[in-house]
Amino acid sequence: MSRTVCPWWLGYFLAHPLRRRIHDPVGILRPFVSEGMTVLEPGPGMGFFTVELARLVGPSGRVVAVDVQPRMLEGVRRHSGKEGLSDRIEARLARGDGMGVDDLAGKVDFVLAFAVVHEMPDAERFFAEAGAVMKQGSRLLLAEPRFEVPEQKFADTLRVAGRYGLRMEHRLSIRWTRAAVLVKDQ
C-alpha cells in the first residue's frame, strides 16, 4: 500500500463546499451515525466529514478526529469552531506509529476511514487499533480512492480487517471510491 500522506495544503481542496456534489456527507453518514454515538475518524483532513459527524452525534455524542499532521487538525478546529461544534469534536495528534486511542477501548460506535487506510504505514496496526476501540456490533465505513487503490489491493485490505474481527457486511457505492461497511463481530 502507498505510504504517501496527503499534503496538508490539499486539505483546503478536500474540505471545499463544492465537494458535496461528489460526496454528500449527510447522505453517506446518516445510515450509520445517530445521536449520542462516539465516532472515531482517522485522517479527517480539515474536517469535511468531521463537522457532519458532529452534527449527527448531537450534543451528547463525541467525535475523535486523529491525524498525523498538526495543520490538518488546525483546520478541523477552525472549521468546527465556525460551525459552533467544537465541544463535540476532540482533535488528536497521532504520535509514533499508532493512533493513540487506547483510552477509547470498547467505547466507539462507528469508525469512518475515508481515503486514509492506503496512506497508513501499517494497515494491520490500524485495524488492530480500530477493532480494539469498537464496541461489538459497531461498524466501520472503509472507503478508498479508486484511482489509488485497485480492486485487488482493496480486497487485500478487507482480508486484513477480517483478521481483527471486522467482517465485511456489504459493499457500498460511493462515487470515485471502493467502499465497504465492516461490522465488529468479536
Side-chain angles (χ1 to χ4, degrees):
M1 291 196 178
S2 168
R3 293 182 185 174
T4 304
V5 175
C6 178
W8 69 267
W9 52 266
L10 192 55
Y12 290 108
F13 297 104
L14 295 174
H16 195 280
L18 286 176
R19 182 176 176 198
R20 291 176 181 277
R21 292 182 181 202
I22 299 165
H23 296 131
D24 170 30
V26 175
I28 292 170
L29 300 170
R30 181 167 281 146
F32 309 105
V33 182
S34 59
E35 181 125 3
M37 283 185 156
T38 297
V39 174
L40 174 63
E41 184 188 15
M46 292 194 176
F48 180 76
F49 287 105
T50 317
V51 167
E52 294 305 329
L53 286 166
R55 284 191 181 103
L56 290 168
V57 300
S60 63
R62 174 181 179 201
V63 177
V64 179
V66 180
D67 208 299
V68 296
Q69 299 183 75
R71 287 185 171 175
M72 291 292 199
L73 293 174
E74 288 168 20
V76 168
R77 288 184 190 101
R78 190 171 44 254
H79 193 180
S80 64
K82 286 179 186 175
E83 298 294 326
L85 297 167
S86 297
D87 60 330
R88 301 177 194 180
I89 299 169
E90 179 185 348
R92 292 187 184 186
L93 182 63
R95 299 188 188 275
D97 59 353
M99 290 188 286
V101 293
D102 295 343
D103 60 307
L104 299 176
K107 298 178 183 175
V108 173
D109 299 291
F110 179 71
V111 177
L112 176 64
F114 203 99
V116 67
V117 174
H118 72 283
E119 293 183 354
M120 293 186 175
D122 188 350
E124 295 259 354
R125 173 137 189 173
F126 166 71
F127 287 114
E129 285 184 278
V133 300
M134 293 170 70
K135 294 177 181 177
Q136 186 169 352
S138 62
R139 286 172 173 66
L140 183 151
L141 172 54
L142 173 67
E144 292 286 80
R146 280 187 180 277
F147 55 90
E148 290 190 50
V149 180
E151 183 59 39
Q152 185 57 52
K153 288 286 188 188
F154 191 72
D156 293 344
T157 300
L158 292 172
R159 278 191 288 284
V160 170
R163 291 198 288 266
Y164 297 96
L166 301 171
R167 173 184 51 83
M168 185 177 74
E169 186 174 63
H170 62 276
R171 296 285 296 255
L172 283 178
S173 177
I174 299 174
R175 190 181 292 174
W176 296 353
T177 73
R178 299 183 197 288
V181 176
L182 311 179
V183 63
K184 181 176 178 178
D185 285 333
Q186 306 172 17

